Amino acid sequence: LDALLTDIRMPGMDGYEVAGKVRALQPGIPVICITGYTPLGGDQGNCSVLLRKPFRPADLLAKVEHLCSLGPRRRRPRS
């Protein structure tokens, strides 16, 4: 994966938990979390970027391009 895009509010497992589990496997992966809610205390959890709904497709694309342009990330070696 080059990046992870996840919503914060989901049934069963929220986006912060998804981001944490993916980052356990790929520590440097950029994570864009989307939400229609304001996180308590401004906490972004395991998110690189928090994108608030509604957003324009161009805004999402700009975030993805920016995060993916930051250079190589550490990846977990494949076994």
Side-chain angles (χ1 to χ4, degrees):
L1 296 175
D2 291 320
L4 172 67
L5 174 66
T6 183
D7 202 331
I8 297 296
R9 295 280 214 122
M10 299 184 296
M13 182 184 305
D14 68 26
Y16 296 127
E17 191 174 352
V18 170
K21 288 182 181 290
V22 171
R23 282 214 165 136
L25 298 172
Q26 279 187 254
I29 190 168
V31 178
I32 300 173
C33 295
I34 59 175
T35 186
Y37 300 91
T38 301
L40 296 174
D43 183 22
Q44 287 189 201
N46 288 306
C47 305
S48 306
V49 171
L50 188 63
L51 190 58
R52 298 195 196 293
K53 296 179 200 175
F55 55 84
R56 298 175 308 157
D59 296 334
L60 173 60
L61 181 59
K63 298 290 184 190
V64 170
E65 287 175 341
H66 172 73
L67 289 173
C68 288
S69 74
L70 294 177
R73 298 168 317 277
R74 294 177 298 136
R75 293 189 180 256
R76 183 176 183 214
R78 294 181 187 238
S79 32

